[in-house]
Each structure stands twice: as C-alpha cells, then as structure tokens.
PDB file of all heavy atoms in Angstrom:
ATOM      1  N   LYS A   1       0.818  -1.157   0.015  1.00  0.00           N
ATOM      2  CA  LYS A   1       0.011  -0.080   0.019  1.00  0.00           C
ATOM      3  C   LYS A   1       0.812   1.316   0.022  1.00  0.00           C
ATOM      4  O   LYS A   1       0.360   2.344  -0.412  1.00  0.00           O
ATOM      5  CB  LYS A   1      -0.943  -0.002   1.197  1.00  0.00           C
ATOM      6  CG  LYS A   1      -2.057  -1.030   1.005  1.00  0.00           C
ATOM      7  CD  LYS A   1      -3.007  -1.050   2.232  1.00  0.00           C
ATOM      8  CE  LYS A   1      -4.081  -1.957   2.137  1.00  0.00           C
ATOM      9  NZ  LYS A   1      -5.097  -1.917   3.266  1.00  0.00           N
ATOM     10  N   GLN A   2       2.106   1.240   0.457  1.00  0.00           N
ATOM     11  CA  GLN A   2       2.892   2.374   0.497  1.00  0.00           C
ATOM     12  C   GLN A   2       3.479   2.564  -0.917  1.00  0.00           C
ATOM     13  O   GLN A   2       3.747   3.701  -1.304  1.00  0.00           O
ATOM     14  CB  GLN A   2       4.120   2.078   1.477  1.00  0.00           C
ATOM     15  CG  GLN A   2       3.632   1.826   2.924  1.00  0.00           C
ATOM     16  CD  GLN A   2       2.812   2.876   3.510  1.00  0.00           C
ATOM     17  OE1 GLN A   2       2.955   4.040   3.109  1.00  0.00           O
ATOM     18  NE2 GLN A   2       1.843   2.547   4.363  1.00  0.00           N
ATOM     19  N   LEU A   3       3.752   1.475  -1.636  1.00  0.00           N
ATOM     20  CA  LEU A   3       4.335   1.560  -2.975  1.00  0.00           C
ATOM     21  C   LEU A   3       3.331   1.906  -4.038  1.00  0.00           C
ATOM     22  O   LEU A   3       3.444   2.751  -4.901  1.00  0.00           O
ATOM     23  CB  LEU A   3       4.981   0.278  -3.334  1.00  0.00           C
ATOM     24  CG  LEU A   3       5.698   0.284  -4.621  1.00  0.00           C
ATOM     25  CD1 LEU A   3       6.890   1.178  -4.698  1.00  0.00           C
ATOM     26  CD2 LEU A   3       6.155  -1.159  -5.028  1.00  0.00           C
ATOM     27  N   ILE A   4       2.146   1.230  -4.009  1.00  0.00           N
ATOM     28  CA  ILE A   4       1.060   1.377  -4.898  1.00  0.00           C
ATOM     29  C   ILE A   4      -0.026   2.258  -4.278  1.00  0.00           C
ATOM     30  O   ILE A   4      -0.744   1.792  -3.442  1.00  0.00           O
ATOM     31  CB  ILE A   4       0.463   0.006  -5.423  1.00  0.00           C
ATOM     32  CG1 ILE A   4       1.582  -0.785  -6.021  1.00  0.00           C
ATOM     33  CG2 ILE A   4      -0.567   0.166  -6.414  1.00  0.00           C
ATOM     34  CD1 ILE A   4       1.277  -2.206  -6.362  1.00  0.00           C
ATOM     35  N   ARG A   5      -0.066   3.445  -4.677  1.00  0.00           N
ATOM     36  CA  ARG A   5      -0.957   4.415  -3.971  1.00  0.00           C
ATOM     37  C   ARG A   5      -2.431   4.256  -4.392  1.00  0.00           C
ATOM     38  O   ARG A   5      -2.678   3.610  -5.364  1.00  0.00           O
ATOM     39  CB  ARG A   5      -0.562   5.849  -4.284  1.00  0.00           C
ATOM     40  CG  ARG A   5       0.888   6.108  -4.016  1.00  0.00           C
ATOM     41  CD  ARG A   5       1.448   5.732  -2.692  1.00  0.00           C
ATOM     42  NE  ARG A   5       0.780   6.535  -1.576  1.00  0.00           N
ATOM     43  CZ  ARG A   5       1.224   6.523  -0.388  1.00  0.00           C
ATOM     44  NH1 ARG A   5       2.144   5.715  -0.008  1.00  0.00           N
ATOM     45  NH2 ARG A   5       0.568   7.219   0.531  1.00  0.00           N
ATOM     46  N   ILE A   6      -3.315   4.768  -3.605  1.00  0.00           N
ATOM     47  CA  ILE A   6      -4.780   4.444  -3.772  1.00  0.00           C
ATOM     48  C   ILE A   6      -5.314   4.913  -5.127  1.00  0.00           C
ATOM     49  O   ILE A   6      -6.263   4.335  -5.617  1.00  0.00           O
ATOM     50  CB  ILE A   6      -5.572   5.173  -2.575  1.00  0.00           C
ATOM     51  CG1 ILE A   6      -6.978   4.620  -2.542  1.00  0.00           C
ATOM     52  CG2 ILE A   6      -5.498   6.631  -2.726  1.00  0.00           C
ATOM     53  CD1 ILE A   6      -7.725   4.968  -1.324  1.00  0.00           C
ATOM     54  N   ASN A   7      -4.626   5.869  -5.743  1.00  0.00           N
ATOM     55  CA  ASN A   7      -5.082   6.340  -7.061  1.00  0.00           C
ATOM     56  C   ASN A   7      -4.409   5.605  -8.184  1.00  0.00           C
ATOM     57  O   ASN A   7      -4.661   5.900  -9.452  1.00  0.00           O
ATOM     58  CB  ASN A   7      -4.889   7.883  -7.247  1.00  0.00           C
ATOM     59  CG  ASN A   7      -3.385   8.161  -7.383  1.00  0.00           C
ATOM     60  OD1 ASN A   7      -2.574   7.474  -7.011  1.00  0.00           O
ATOM     61  ND2 ASN A   7      -3.104   9.311  -8.009  1.00  0.00           N
ATOM     62  N   GLY A   8      -3.555   4.667  -7.933  1.00  0.00           N
ATOM     63  CA  GLY A   8      -2.965   3.814  -8.905  1.00  0.00           C
ATOM     64  C   GLY A   8      -1.531   4.242  -9.185  1.00  0.00           C
ATOM     65  O   GLY A   8      -0.835   3.526  -9.972  1.00  0.00           O
ATOM     66  N   ASP A   9      -1.018   5.324  -8.650  1.00  0.00           N
ATOM     67  CA  ASP A   9       0.336   5.645  -8.908  1.00  0.00           C
ATOM     68  C   ASP A   9       1.228   4.642  -8.200  1.00  0.00           C
ATOM     69  O   ASP A   9       0.941   4.091  -7.129  1.00  0.00           O
ATOM     70  CB  ASP A   9       0.667   6.994  -8.247  1.00  0.00           C
ATOM     71  CG  ASP A   9       0.116   8.235  -8.976  1.00  0.00           C
ATOM     72  OD1 ASP A   9      -0.269   8.034 -10.083  1.00  0.00           O
ATOM     73  OD2 ASP A   9       0.127   9.321  -8.415  1.00  0.00           O
ATOM     74  N   VAL A  10       2.329   4.247  -8.896  1.00  0.00           N
ATOM     75  CA  VAL A  10       3.322   3.316  -8.384  1.00  0.00           C
ATOM     76  C   VAL A  10       4.690   3.972  -8.328  1.00  0.00           C
ATOM     77  O   VAL A  10       5.201   4.309  -9.350  1.00  0.00           O
ATOM     78  CB  VAL A  10       3.324   2.079  -9.280  1.00  0.00           C
ATOM     79  CG1 VAL A  10       4.321   0.946  -8.716  1.00  0.00           C
ATOM     80  CG2 VAL A  10       1.915   1.454  -9.458  1.00  0.00           C
ATOM     81  N   LEU A  11       5.182   4.170  -7.074  1.00  0.00           N
ATOM     82  CA  LEU A  11       6.350   5.015  -6.955  1.00  0.00           C
ATOM     83  C   LEU A  11       7.634   4.311  -7.515  1.00  0.00           C
ATOM     84  O   LEU A  11       7.755   3.136  -7.586  1.00  0.00           O
ATOM     85  CB  LEU A  11       6.509   5.304  -5.406  1.00  0.00           C
ATOM     86  CG  LEU A  11       5.351   5.992  -4.796  1.00  0.00           C
ATOM     87  CD1 LEU A  11       5.628   6.383  -3.300  1.00  0.00           C
ATOM     88  CD2 LEU A  11       4.837   7.237  -5.575  1.00  0.00           C
ATOM     89  N   PRO A  12       8.613   5.137  -7.766  1.00  0.00           N
ATOM     90  CA  PRO A  12       9.976   4.671  -8.178  1.00  0.00           C
ATOM     91  C   PRO A  12      10.562   3.862  -7.018  1.00  0.00           C
ATOM     92  O   PRO A  12      10.446   4.220  -5.831  1.00  0.00           O
ATOM     93  CB  PRO A  12      10.831   5.901  -8.402  1.00  0.00           C
ATOM     94  CG  PRO A  12       9.813   7.001  -8.645  1.00  0.00           C
ATOM     95  CD  PRO A  12       8.660   6.652  -7.839  1.00  0.00           C
ATOM     96  N   THR A  13      11.146   2.707  -7.370  1.00  0.00           N
ATOM     97  CA  THR A  13      11.378   1.615  -6.290  1.00  0.00           C
ATOM     98  C   THR A  13      12.852   1.319  -6.169  1.00  0.00           C
ATOM     99  O   THR A  13      13.578   1.158  -7.102  1.00  0.00           O
ATOM    100  CB  THR A  13      10.614   0.406  -6.775  1.00  0.00           C
ATOM    101  OG1 THR A  13       9.232   0.710  -6.895  1.00  0.00           O
ATOM    102  CG2 THR A  13      10.766  -0.736  -5.712  1.00  0.00           C
ATOM    103  N   LEU A  14      13.257   1.163  -4.865  1.00  0.00           N
ATOM    104  CA  LEU A  14      14.618   0.518  -4.586  1.00  0.00           C
ATOM    105  C   LEU A  14      14.418  -0.910  -4.688  1.00  0.00           C
ATOM    106  O   LEU A  14      13.497  -1.562  -3.944  1.00  0.00           O
ATOM    107  CB  LEU A  14      15.053   0.906  -3.239  1.00  0.00           C
ATOM    108  CG  LEU A  14      15.135   2.418  -2.817  1.00  0.00           C
ATOM    109  CD1 LEU A  14      15.622   2.513  -1.366  1.00  0.00           C
ATOM    110  CD2 LEU A  14      16.081   3.062  -3.764  1.00  0.00           C
ATOM    111  N   LEU A  15      15.117  -1.652  -5.462  1.00  0.00           N
ATOM    112  CA  LEU A  15      15.041  -3.129  -5.515  1.00  0.00           C
ATOM    113  C   LEU A  15      16.343  -3.667  -4.900  1.00  0.00           C
ATOM    114  O   LEU A  15      17.478  -3.336  -5.450  1.00  0.00           O
ATOM    115  CB  LEU A  15      14.948  -3.626  -6.977  1.00  0.00           C
ATOM    116  CG  LEU A  15      14.314  -4.991  -7.236  1.00  0.00           C
ATOM    117  CD1 LEU A  15      12.847  -4.998  -6.727  1.00  0.00           C
ATOM    118  CD2 LEU A  15      14.427  -5.377  -8.646  1.00  0.00           C
ATOM    119  N   VAL A  16      16.280  -4.419  -3.819  1.00  0.00           N
ATOM    120  CA  VAL A  16      17.434  -4.986  -3.121  1.00  0.00           C
ATOM    121  C   VAL A  16      17.280  -6.408  -2.985  1.00  0.00           C
ATOM    122  O   VAL A  16      16.175  -6.850  -2.359  1.00  0.00           O
ATOM    123  CB  VAL A  16      17.650  -4.225  -1.783  1.00  0.00           C
ATOM    124  CG1 VAL A  16      18.799  -4.930  -0.920  1.00  0.00           C
ATOM    125  CG2 VAL A  16      17.905  -2.795  -1.935  1.00  0.00           C
ATOM    126  N   ASP A  17      18.210  -7.205  -3.448  1.00  0.00           N
ATOM    127  CA  ASP A  17      18.190  -8.603  -3.439  1.00  0.00           C
ATOM    128  C   ASP A  17      16.816  -9.130  -4.042  1.00  0.00           C
ATOM    129  O   ASP A  17      16.243 -10.162  -3.662  1.00  0.00           O
ATOM    130  CB  ASP A  17      18.296  -9.179  -2.010  1.00  0.00           C
ATOM    131  CG  ASP A  17      18.525 -10.682  -2.023  1.00  0.00           C
ATOM    132  OD1 ASP A  17      19.042 -11.255  -2.940  1.00  0.00           O
ATOM    133  OD2 ASP A  17      18.138 -11.363  -0.946  1.00  0.00           O
ATOM    134  N   GLY A  18      16.395  -8.430  -5.055  1.00  0.00           N
ATOM    135  CA  GLY A  18      15.250  -8.859  -5.815  1.00  0.00           C
ATOM    136  C   GLY A  18      13.878  -8.462  -5.296  1.00  0.00           C
ATOM    137  O   GLY A  18      12.851  -8.741  -5.909  1.00  0.00           O
ATOM    138  N   TYR A  19      13.871  -7.683  -4.184  1.00  0.00           N
ATOM    139  CA  TYR A  19      12.507  -7.332  -3.590  1.00  0.00           C
ATOM    140  C   TYR A  19      12.549  -5.823  -3.329  1.00  0.00           C
ATOM    141  O   TYR A  19      13.619  -5.191  -3.093  1.00  0.00           O
ATOM    142  CB  TYR A  19      12.362  -8.035  -2.261  1.00  0.00           C
ATOM    143  CG  TYR A  19      12.187  -9.484  -2.436  1.00  0.00           C
ATOM    144  CD1 TYR A  19      13.268 -10.388  -2.445  1.00  0.00           C
ATOM    145  CD2 TYR A  19      10.909 -10.126  -2.671  1.00  0.00           C
ATOM    146  CE1 TYR A  19      13.042 -11.790  -2.573  1.00  0.00           C
ATOM    147  CE2 TYR A  19      10.712 -11.443  -2.904  1.00  0.00           C
ATOM    148  CZ  TYR A  19      11.844 -12.228  -2.829  1.00  0.00           C
ATOM    149  OH  TYR A  19      11.654 -13.629  -2.975  1.00  0.00           O
ATOM    150  N   VAL A  20      11.394  -5.246  -3.312  1.00  0.00           N
ATOM    151  CA  VAL A  20      11.205  -3.831  -3.033  1.00  0.00           C
ATOM    152  C   VAL A  20      11.713  -3.574  -1.583  1.00  0.00           C
ATOM    153  O   VAL A  20      11.275  -4.350  -0.636  1.00  0.00           O
ATOM    154  CB  VAL A  20       9.691  -3.425  -3.104  1.00  0.00           C
ATOM    155  CG1 VAL A  20       9.484  -2.109  -2.513  1.00  0.00           C
ATOM    156  CG2 VAL A  20       9.229  -3.476  -4.566  1.00  0.00           C
ATOM    157  N   ALA A  21      12.535  -2.596  -1.433  1.00  0.00           N
ATOM    158  CA  ALA A  21      13.076  -2.276  -0.124  1.00  0.00           C
ATOM    159  C   ALA A  21      12.852  -0.785   0.168  1.00  0.00           C
ATOM    160  O   ALA A  21      13.218  -0.344   1.316  1.00  0.00           O
ATOM    161  CB  ALA A  21      14.592  -2.555  -0.142  1.00  0.00           C
ATOM    162  N   GLY A  22      12.260  -0.023  -0.624  1.00  0.00           N
ATOM    163  CA  GLY A  22      12.009   1.336  -0.453  1.00  0.00           C
ATOM    164  C   GLY A  22      11.637   2.077  -1.712  1.00  0.00           C
ATOM    165  O   GLY A  22      11.278   1.493  -2.755  1.00  0.00           O
ATOM    166  N   VAL A  23      11.751   3.389  -1.684  1.00  0.00           N
ATOM    167  CA  VAL A  23      11.430   4.240  -2.835  1.00  0.00           C
ATOM    168  C   VAL A  23      12.520   5.340  -3.037  1.00  0.00           C
ATOM    169  O   VAL A  23      13.320   5.504  -2.132  1.00  0.00           O
ATOM    170  CB  VAL A  23      10.029   4.930  -2.730  1.00  0.00           C
ATOM    171  CG1 VAL A  23       8.929   3.871  -2.653  1.00  0.00           C
ATOM    172  CG2 VAL A  23      10.047   5.816  -1.516  1.00  0.00           C
ATOM    173  N   TRP A  24      12.568   5.869  -4.260  1.00  0.00           N
ATOM    174  CA  TRP A  24      13.530   6.966  -4.441  1.00  0.00           C
ATOM    175  C   TRP A  24      12.884   7.988  -5.419  1.00  0.00           C
ATOM    176  O   TRP A  24      11.851   7.845  -5.954  1.00  0.00           O
ATOM    177  CB  TRP A  24      14.703   6.335  -5.290  1.00  0.00           C
ATOM    178  CG  TRP A  24      14.456   5.769  -6.654  1.00  0.00           C
ATOM    179  CD1 TRP A  24      14.052   4.547  -6.946  1.00  0.00           C
ATOM    180  CD2 TRP A  24      14.441   6.577  -7.840  1.00  0.00           C
ATOM    181  NE1 TRP A  24      13.906   4.440  -8.329  1.00  0.00           N
ATOM    182  CE2 TRP A  24      14.156   5.640  -8.918  1.00  0.00           C
ATOM    183  CE3 TRP A  24      14.816   7.860  -8.198  1.00  0.00           C
ATOM    184  CZ2 TRP A  24      14.086   6.003 -10.226  1.00  0.00           C
ATOM    185  CZ3 TRP A  24      14.794   8.181  -9.654  1.00  0.00           C
ATOM    186  CH2 TRP A  24      14.457   7.293 -10.561  1.00  0.00           C
ATOM    187  N   ARG A  25      13.534   9.138  -5.357  1.00  0.00           N
ATOM    188  CA  ARG A  25      13.123  10.252  -6.208  1.00  0.00           C
ATOM    189  C   ARG A  25      14.340  11.127  -6.478  1.00  0.00           C
ATOM    190  O   ARG A  25      15.249  11.282  -5.738  1.00  0.00           O
ATOM    191  CB  ARG A  25      11.979  11.048  -5.614  1.00  0.00           C
ATOM    192  CG  ARG A  25      12.396  11.726  -4.274  1.00  0.00           C
ATOM    193  CD  ARG A  25      11.268  12.701  -3.835  1.00  0.00           C
ATOM    194  NE  ARG A  25      11.485  13.123  -2.476  1.00  0.00           N
ATOM    195  CZ  ARG A  25      10.991  14.163  -1.913  1.00  0.00           C
ATOM    196  NH1 ARG A  25       9.988  14.872  -2.589  1.00  0.00           N
ATOM    197  NH2 ARG A  25      11.213  14.625  -0.676  1.00  0.00           N
ATOM    198  N   PRO A  26      14.358  11.744  -7.713  1.00  0.00           N
ATOM    199  CA  PRO A  26      15.405  12.708  -8.016  1.00  0.00           C
ATOM    200  C   PRO A  26      15.128  14.013  -7.238  1.00  0.00           C
ATOM    201  O   PRO A  26      14.059  14.461  -7.137  1.00  0.00           O
ATOM    202  CB  PRO A  26      15.326  13.025  -9.507  1.00  0.00           C
ATOM    203  CG  PRO A  26      14.395  11.990  -9.988  1.00  0.00           C
ATOM    204  CD  PRO A  26      13.481  11.587  -8.910  1.00  0.00           C
ATOM    205  N   VAL A  27      16.168  14.519  -6.600  1.00  0.00           N
ATOM    206  CA  VAL A  27      16.181  15.810  -5.903  1.00  0.00           C
ATOM    207  C   VAL A  27      17.268  16.710  -6.330  1.00  0.00           C
ATOM    208  O   VAL A  27      18.158  16.140  -7.101  1.00  0.00           O
ATOM    209  CB  VAL A  27      16.083  15.724  -4.327  1.00  0.00           C
ATOM    210  CG1 VAL A  27      14.831  14.989  -3.883  1.00  0.00           C
ATOM    211  CG2 VAL A  27      17.318  14.921  -3.906  1.00  0.00           C
ATOM    212  N   GLU A  28      17.319  17.932  -5.988  1.00  0.00           N
ATOM    213  CA  GLU A  28      18.423  18.814  -6.428  1.00  0.00           C
ATOM    214  C   GLU A  28      19.806  18.254  -6.132  1.00  0.00           C
ATOM    215  O   GLU A  28      20.782  18.385  -6.914  1.00  0.00           O
ATOM    216  CB  GLU A  28      18.292  20.181  -5.874  1.00  0.00           C
ATOM    217  CG  GLU A  28      17.049  20.971  -6.345  1.00  0.00           C
ATOM    218  CD  GLU A  28      17.065  21.261  -7.878  1.00  0.00           C
ATOM    219  OE1 GLU A  28      18.233  21.336  -8.373  1.00  0.00           O
ATOM    220  OE2 GLU A  28      16.084  21.331  -8.428  1.00  0.00           O
ATOM    221  N   ALA A  29      19.907  17.566  -4.959  1.00  0.00           N
ATOM    222  CA  ALA A  29      21.242  17.155  -4.515  1.00  0.00           C
ATOM    223  C   ALA A  29      21.622  15.797  -5.033  1.00  0.00           C
ATOM    224  O   ALA A  29      22.770  15.324  -4.838  1.00  0.00           O
ATOM    225  CB  ALA A  29      21.266  17.151  -3.005  1.00  0.00           C
ATOM    226  N   GLY A  30      20.688  15.077  -5.639  1.00  0.00           N
ATOM    227  CA  GLY A  30      21.007  13.722  -6.156  1.00  0.00           C
ATOM    228  C   GLY A  30      19.724  12.856  -6.145  1.00  0.00           C
ATOM    229  O   GLY A  30      18.682  13.276  -6.572  1.00  0.00           O
ATOM    230  N   ILE A  31      19.870  11.621  -5.778  1.00  0.00           N
ATOM    231  CA  ILE A  31      18.775  10.675  -5.667  1.00  0.00           C
ATOM    232  C   ILE A  31      18.527  10.504  -4.151  1.00  0.00           C
ATOM    233  O   ILE A  31      19.343  10.108  -3.334  1.00  0.00           O
ATOM    234  CB  ILE A  31      19.144   9.330  -6.196  1.00  0.00           C
ATOM    235  CG1 ILE A  31      19.387   9.390  -7.704  1.00  0.00           C
ATOM    236  CG2 ILE A  31      18.088   8.273  -5.851  1.00  0.00           C
ATOM    237  CD1 ILE A  31      18.209   9.719  -8.538  1.00  0.00           C
ATOM    238  N   GLU A  32      17.304  10.831  -3.804  1.00  0.00           N
ATOM    239  CA  GLU A  32      16.943  10.644  -2.343  1.00  0.00           C
ATOM    240  C   GLU A  32      16.309   9.239  -2.274  1.00  0.00           C
ATOM    241  O   GLU A  32      15.277   8.926  -2.866  1.00  0.00           O
ATOM    242  CB  GLU A  32      15.766  11.660  -1.927  1.00  0.00           C
ATOM    243  CG  GLU A  32      15.341  11.538  -0.514  1.00  0.00           C
ATOM    244  CD  GLU A  32      14.167  12.510  -0.220  1.00  0.00           C
ATOM    245  OE1 GLU A  32      14.462  13.673  -0.095  1.00  0.00           O
ATOM    246  OE2 GLU A  32      13.070  11.995  -0.100  1.00  0.00           O
ATOM    247  N   ALA A  33      16.935   8.424  -1.444  1.00  0.00           N
ATOM    248  CA  ALA A  33      16.564   6.961  -1.351  1.00  0.00           C
ATOM    249  C   ALA A  33      15.936   6.774   0.023  1.00  0.00           C
ATOM    250  O   ALA A  33      16.706   7.057   1.025  1.00  0.00           O
ATOM    251  CB  ALA A  33      17.739   6.076  -1.568  1.00  0.00           C
ATOM    252  N   THR A  34      14.707   6.333   0.124  1.00  0.00           N
ATOM    253  CA  THR A  34      14.060   6.076   1.389  1.00  0.00           C
ATOM    254  C   THR A  34      13.906   4.545   1.555  1.00  0.00           C
ATOM    255  O   THR A  34      13.167   3.888   0.802  1.00  0.00           O
ATOM    256  CB  THR A  34      12.710   6.706   1.448  1.00  0.00           C
ATOM    257  OG1 THR A  34      12.845   8.184   1.257  1.00  0.00           O
ATOM    258  CG2 THR A  34      11.993   6.395   2.778  1.00  0.00           C
ATOM    259  N   ALA A  35      14.645   4.010   2.519  1.00  0.00           N
ATOM    260  CA  ALA A  35      14.597   2.564   2.742  1.00  0.00           C
ATOM    261  C   ALA A  35      13.503   2.292   3.781  1.00  0.00           C
ATOM    262  O   ALA A  35      13.366   3.011   4.845  1.00  0.00           O
ATOM    263  CB  ALA A  35      15.940   2.043   3.384  1.00  0.00           C
ATOM    264  N   PHE A  36      12.683   1.276   3.471  1.00  0.00           N
ATOM    265  CA  PHE A  36      11.585   0.880   4.325  1.00  0.00           C
ATOM    266  C   PHE A  36      12.017   0.053   5.525  1.00  0.00           C
ATOM    267  O   PHE A  36      11.318  -0.165   6.463  1.00  0.00           O
ATOM    268  CB  PHE A  36      10.481   0.117   3.521  1.00  0.00           C
ATOM    269  CG  PHE A  36       9.771   0.913   2.604  1.00  0.00           C
ATOM    270  CD1 PHE A  36       9.036   0.261   1.525  1.00  0.00           C
ATOM    271  CD2 PHE A  36       9.769   2.367   2.568  1.00  0.00           C
ATOM    272  CE1 PHE A  36       8.312   1.025   0.620  1.00  0.00           C
ATOM    273  CE2 PHE A  36       9.085   3.137   1.613  1.00  0.00           C
ATOM    274  CZ  PHE A  36       8.306   2.462   0.648  1.00  0.00           C
ATOM    275  N   HIS A  37      13.237  -0.586   5.427  1.00  0.00           N
ATOM    276  CA  HIS A  37      13.858  -1.316   6.492  1.00  0.00           C
ATOM    277  C   HIS A  37      15.284  -1.162   6.483  1.00  0.00           C
ATOM    278  O   HIS A  37      15.842  -0.610   5.468  1.00  0.00           O
ATOM    279  CB  HIS A  37      13.449  -2.748   6.394  1.00  0.00           C
ATOM    280  CG  HIS A  37      13.847  -3.472   5.131  1.00  0.00           C
ATOM    281  ND1 HIS A  37      12.989  -3.660   4.120  1.00  0.00           N
ATOM    282  CD2 HIS A  37      15.044  -3.951   4.622  1.00  0.00           C
ATOM    283  CE1 HIS A  37      13.589  -4.266   3.088  1.00  0.00           C
ATOM    284  NE2 HIS A  37      14.819  -4.445   3.484  1.00  0.00           N
ATOM    285  N   HIS A  38      16.025  -1.556   7.457  1.00  0.00           N
ATOM    286  CA  HIS A  38      17.420  -1.432   7.523  1.00  0.00           C
ATOM    287  C   HIS A  38      18.140  -2.171   6.372  1.00  0.00           C
ATOM    288  O   HIS A  38      17.805  -3.416   6.156  1.00  0.00           O
ATOM    289  CB  HIS A  38      17.988  -2.013   8.895  1.00  0.00           C
ATOM    290  CG  HIS A  38      19.479  -1.999   8.926  1.00  0.00           C
ATOM    291  ND1 HIS A  38      20.143  -0.903   9.077  1.00  0.00           N
ATOM    292  CD2 HIS A  38      20.339  -2.996   8.841  1.00  0.00           C
ATOM    293  CE1 HIS A  38      21.502  -1.159   9.123  1.00  0.00           C
ATOM    294  NE2 HIS A  38      21.615  -2.440   9.002  1.00  0.00           N
ATOM    295  N   LEU A  39      19.040  -1.454   5.737  1.00  0.00           N
ATOM    296  CA  LEU A  39      19.811  -2.117   4.644  1.00  0.00           C
ATOM    297  C   LEU A  39      21.221  -2.206   5.107  1.00  0.00           C
ATOM    298  O   LEU A  39      21.780  -1.308   5.803  1.00  0.00           O
ATOM    299  CB  LEU A  39      19.722  -1.276   3.385  1.00  0.00           C
ATOM    300  CG  LEU A  39      18.295  -1.075   2.853  1.00  0.00           C
ATOM    301  CD1 LEU A  39      18.382  -0.149   1.529  1.00  0.00           C
ATOM    302  CD2 LEU A  39      17.666  -2.361   2.487  1.00  0.00           C
ATOM    303  N   SER A  40      21.914  -3.246   4.553  1.00  0.00           N
ATOM    304  CA  SER A  40      23.300  -3.451   4.861  1.00  0.00           C
ATOM    305  C   SER A  40      24.144  -2.344   4.172  1.00  0.00           C
ATOM    306  O   SER A  40      23.714  -1.684   3.227  1.00  0.00           O
ATOM    307  CB  SER A  40      23.696  -4.833   4.433  1.00  0.00           C
ATOM    308  OG  SER A  40      23.711  -4.908   2.992  1.00  0.00           O
ATOM    309  N   GLY A  41      25.401  -2.201   4.672  1.00  0.00           N
ATOM    310  CA  GLY A  41      26.266  -1.297   3.968  1.00  0.00           C
ATOM    311  C   GLY A  41      26.569  -1.712   2.534  1.00  0.00           C
ATOM    312  O   GLY A  41      26.640  -0.854   1.604  1.00  0.00           O
ATOM    313  N   GLU A  42      26.570  -3.051   2.247  1.00  0.00           N
ATOM    314  CA  GLU A  42      26.795  -3.483   0.906  1.00  0.00           C
ATOM    315  C   GLU A  42      25.624  -3.065   0.035  1.00  0.00           C
ATOM    316  O   GLU A  42      25.823  -2.703  -1.132  1.00  0.00           O
ATOM    317  CB  GLU A  42      26.999  -5.081   0.945  1.00  0.00           C
ATOM    318  CG  GLU A  42      27.198  -5.636  -0.450  1.00  0.00           C
ATOM    319  CD  GLU A  42      27.248  -7.125  -0.406  1.00  0.00           C
ATOM    320  OE1 GLU A  42      27.097  -7.707   0.648  1.00  0.00           O
ATOM    321  OE2 GLU A  42      27.575  -7.687  -1.488  1.00  0.00           O
TER     322      GLU A  42
END
C-alpha cells in the first residue's frame, strides 16, 4: 500500500536482493533513497 498508492500511482522503487526495499526520487542534490527497513552497507 505504500508503494502502490490508492489512485494507482506506483512510486519509483529501490530493488534490493530482488525485492522492494524502499522508494527513490530525484532531488536537487541527487537521488533521495528512502529505505523501508534497515539495509546493509553493501
């Protein structure tokens, strides 16, 4: 429900180890990556 919004929008997605792990968007400073759970340094 966080990724696929109620109006049908589907947000840009972080894919980690083959599964959705968060979302991203371009911002002035670069790519803003929002992780939905803790991600490893790798």
Side-chain angles (χ1 to χ4, degrees):
K1 289 183 179 179
Q2 304 301 330
L3 180 69
I4 303 175
R5 309 306 296 190
I6 193 168
N7 73 335
D9 287 347
V10 182
L11 303 186
T13 304
L14 306 178
L15 205 65
V16 175
D17 192 28
Y19 293 91
V20 169
V23 295
W24 66 270
R25 60 173 173 164
V27 294
E28 292 296 334
I31 296 293
E32 181 185 287
T34 300
F36 291 165
H37 58 260
H38 174 74
L39 300 179
S40 68
E42 181 182 6

